[in-house]
Amino acid sequence: MSGETSAIFLSEYLLDLHAGSAFLDGLNAQDRESLTAQGARSKLDKGERVFNQGDKHVGIWIIESGRVRTYYAGPTGREITLAYWTPGHFVGGPEVFGGGRHVWSADVLEDNTGLLFVSGASLRKLVSEVPDIAITLIEGLVAKGKTYSALIQMLGTRSVSGRLQQLLLILAYNHSREGTNGLVITRTMTNEQIAAIVGATRQWVTQSLENLQRKGVLSVSRKEIIVHHPESLRE
């Protein structure tokens, strides 16, 4: 049970959501300074866009503080949230050297979110000069590939009810504290946000949470969700 450093995305693996958040930790101080020296820092507030679906790839944004959401908007305008990313992760791939078009968008979830932008041209130059930066970047892309593979597996093999239950388990085991009556989920998410992750409507999520509450699996209030019986969500 932990904290706010773990990303959130649909996955069968409850405890692997933080993978990739420390992809820069393999660099020594000098190489890390070489990377950050090529970047430009910025602060964005809640709701501001990092990049838009259809924009040209120009580089990556490393999250230094706050949270960033990546999401896809379909032709009808309906959105599905791909992931919530936390400090240490990057967004802007997979074409990290630039070129091509973004197939999803990213926006900021918290005020004063800190980002370090490194251009594709700078990254290409760095990886040709510093092998450890190349390895680090590859490891970061591997983590991203696993993330989206896990998401595809969940969308393709789980019912919407199963996806909701898995998301609740992810929150219970990665973003909770022990309470007197169960696991108190500490990451606040609206029913609309939950719906955008599991691929449902807000009304359906509300009804499903009420159903789980009637069964005694969890309790829902305006402030929090308490999971009383996590094992019931696995069934």
Side-chain angles (χ1 to χ4, degrees):
M1 271 122 320
S2 83
E4 305 299 299
T5 58
S6 172
I8 297 175
F9 54 86
L10 288 177
S11 173
E12 298 284 357
Y13 309 105
L14 300 178
L15 301 178
D16 290 344
L17 277 73
H18 65 284
S21 63
F23 80 105
L24 292 181
D25 288 359
L27 298 177
N28 60 37
Q30 181 178 351
D31 290 345
R32 188 159 184 160
E33 174 59 29
S34 296
L35 177 61
T36 57
Q38 294 296 318
R41 286 187 166 90
S42 62
K43 294 283 188 179
L44 297 182
D45 288 332
K46 182 177 180 179
E48 290 193 74
R49 201 67 55 88
V50 182
F51 56 83
N52 289 303
Q53 189 172 316
D55 286 351
K56 186 177 179 179
H57 279 274
V58 291
I60 63 172
W61 289 261
I62 299 169
I63 305 170
E64 297 189 318
S65 63
R67 292 184 296 150
V68 173
R69 175 182 71 130
T70 51
Y71 65 95
Y72 171 77
T76 63
R78 183 176 177 182
E79 294 179 1
I80 182 167
T81 294
L82 306 176
Y84 288 164
W85 300 110
T86 46
H89 290 280
F90 73 87
V91 295
E95 296 185 66
V96 295
F97 297 140
R101 301 284 174 178
H102 287 285
V103 294
W104 53 72
S105 301
D107 61 11
V108 169
L109 297 172
E110 298 176 2
D111 287 339
N112 210 35
T113 290
L115 301 173
L116 175 71
F117 172 73
V118 186
S119 72
S122 296
L123 283 172
R124 184 181 291 277
K125 182 173 185 294
L126 284 167
V127 300
S128 69
E129 297 173 347
V130 185
D132 283 349
I133 291 180
I135 293 171
T136 289
L137 193 59
I138 291 169
E139 290 175 344
L141 287 169
V142 167
K144 283 288 186 289
K146 289 181 177 179
T147 295
Y148 293 115
S149 174
L151 174 61
I152 292 169
Q153 290 167 3
M154 287 289 295
L155 292 174
T157 62
R158 291 283 192 109
S159 67
V160 64
S161 295
R163 296 197 294 268
L164 174 61
Q165 292 173 192
Q166 187 70 2
L167 177 61
L168 291 169
L169 278 173
I170 287 169
L171 294 172
Y173 283 101
N174 290 279
H175 298 277
S176 71
R177 58 177 173 82
E178 291 278 2
T180 55
N181 298 315
L183 300 177
V184 182
I185 294 175
T186 56
R187 173 59 59 81
T188 302
M189 296 183 70
T190 66
N191 287 1
E192 187 172 3
Q193 289 172 326
I194 292 173
I197 293 179
V198 303
T201 64
R202 179 182 58 79
Q203 293 86 349
W204 182 90
V205 170
T206 300
Q207 292 169 0
S208 296
L209 291 176
E210 289 174 351
N211 186 41
L212 289 170
Q213 183 166 244
R214 282 194 297 270
K215 292 179 178 179
V217 176
L218 48 76
S219 296
V220 182
S221 69
R222 289 192 174 188
K223 293 183 178 180
E224 61 190 13
I225 296 176
I226 303 174
V227 179
H228 305 300
H229 302 291
E231 66 280 0
S232 296
L233 294 172
R234 294 193 182 93
E235 297 173 358

